Amino acid sequence: GILVDGGTGAIIRDVIADSREVGVHVIRATSPTVQNLSTDGAGTGLHLESITTAPTLSNLQLTNAHYGLRVRLTTASFTLGAAQIGSLAGSLSAIWLDNVSNITVTGITLTTNPLHAILANYTTNTNLTFTDLDVSGLGGGDLVGGYGILLQGTGHVLDDITANDRQYGVHVS
């Protein structure tokens, strides 16, 4: 895949990175832009780590990955919605938020993820907002898919969440 380590204003545009351990990994970057990224069959489609200011994201097609989108060690305030995420279909876990703050996930449907729709399972996560989401499972009842949303940490907001056909629709601890 592609690794961007540091720098300001990196632009990753119109990239296809299929069948990689990590499609694109952006670490320690300021104001990165990722547009029209397509990954299929990656370990992680897009990994944003230690981002210091809000990234510009659009039309992310992160399909059939173990983790579609992973955001780690980031306190930059930004939104993950329909304008940013085109598809996370088939990814075992669609979004993984790890040691992050001030991120809003809104207005998306994550119903084709067989294991978890959203993992935010670190006690150091703070001030995450989840609104207008459908994180239902693939059907077949509550024994099929793990978590719609698994959430730990403090200061979180959940509003207007649909989480059917999961072992745990929304689990907050």
Side-chain angles (χ1 to χ4, degrees):
I2 295 172
L3 170 64
V4 175
D5 190 347
T8 300
I11 297 173
I12 300 165
R13 183 180 298 135
D14 301 323
V15 170
I16 298 171
D18 293 344
S19 303
R20 305 286 179 189
E21 180 61 31
V22 178
V24 172
H25 188 170
V26 180
I27 184 170
R28 292 181 291 271
T30 302
S31 302
T33 296
V34 182
Q35 298 173 320
N36 303 320
L37 170 62
S38 176
T39 67
D40 187 69
T44 300
L46 174 61
H47 186 168
L48 302 172
E49 184 173 1
S50 300
I51 303 299
T52 57
T53 57
T56 299
L57 307 172
S58 65
N59 193 30
L60 303 176
Q61 305 290 328
L62 313 172
T63 57
N64 301 308
H66 192 84
Y67 301 105
L69 172 63
R70 182 177 185 190
V71 183
R72 183 171 185 263
L73 298 170
T74 297
T75 57
S77 178
F78 63 96
T79 297
L80 298 171
Q84 292 77 31
I85 297 173
S87 179
L88 292 161
S91 294
L92 292 178
S93 296
I95 298 172
W96 183 12
L97 303 174
D98 166 2
N99 266 324
V100 298
S101 299
N102 309 313
I103 294 174
T104 297
V105 183
T106 185
I108 54 178
T109 298
L110 300 171
T111 57
T112 62
N113 310 99
L115 194 53
H116 311 298
I118 299 173
L119 290 174
N121 58 328
Y122 284 81
T123 58
T124 52
N125 288 336
T126 58
N127 303 319
L128 303 178
T129 300
F130 302 92
T131 63
D132 187 25
L133 300 173
D134 187 346
V135 294
S136 297
L138 295 172
D142 64 357
L143 298 178
V144 175
Y147 295 95
I149 298 174
L150 173 57
L151 181 61
Q152 292 180 309
T154 60
H156 307 309
V157 174
L158 294 113
D159 183 44
D160 193 18
I161 308 294
T162 302
N164 298 315
D165 289 320
R166 294 278 185 188
Q167 188 171 5
Y168 302 97
V170 175
H171 181 90
V172 179
S173 63

